[in-house]
Amino acid sequence: MSFWTAAVVIVAIWGIVQVMNARRERGPGRDRPADGAEAGEATGAGATDAETRREIEDLRERIRVLEKITVDGREARAIADEIERLRDK
């Protein structure tokens, strides 16, 4: 392998690692900025705050749903038995 071939391979690997790290930092489903900005543009703090507030509200709604599921009138022991029965299958 020549010097230049090795240099190209190293640069290509470095680029792939950088792209993968950037995707991991953004998280799943966030390949593009939420406000429609191009990938190189900086997003405003207001957009980030609004997105965070929206995500918090979504999480609060999920907690409400989980609370309804766990407190739907059945005894806690009956729920535990059902979970164990499902695990055994």
Side-chain angles (χ1 to χ4, degrees), residues 34-46:
D35 62 353
E38 293 298 320
E41 297 178 17
T43 58

Side-chain angles (χ1 to χ4, degrees), residues 1 12-13 22 27 38 42 44 47 71 81 86 89:
M1 180 182 296
I13 291 172
E38 293 298 320
V71 188
D81 290 341
L86 291 172
K89 290 184 178 182

Side-chain angles (χ1 to χ4, degrees), residues 4-51:
W4 293 109
T5 304
V8 169
V9 169
I10 290 171
V11 169
I13 291 172
W14 178 80
I16 292 169
V17 168
Q18 293 300 316
V19 169
M20 291 175 65
N21 284 339
R23 285 186 179 173
R24 186 175 348 132
E25 288 174 5
R26 280 192 293 253
R30 296 182 183 219
D31 288 340
R32 292 187 174 182
D35 62 353
E38 293 298 320
E41 297 178 17
T43 58
T48 304
D49 290 342
E51 182 179 330

Side-chain angles (χ1 to χ4, degrees), residues 59-71:
L59 291 172
R60 286 181 180 159
E61 182 62 30
R62 288 181 182 182
I63 290 172
R64 284 186 208 113
V65 169
L66 290 172
E67 287 173 346
K68 286 180 185 179
I69 290 171
T70 57
V71 188

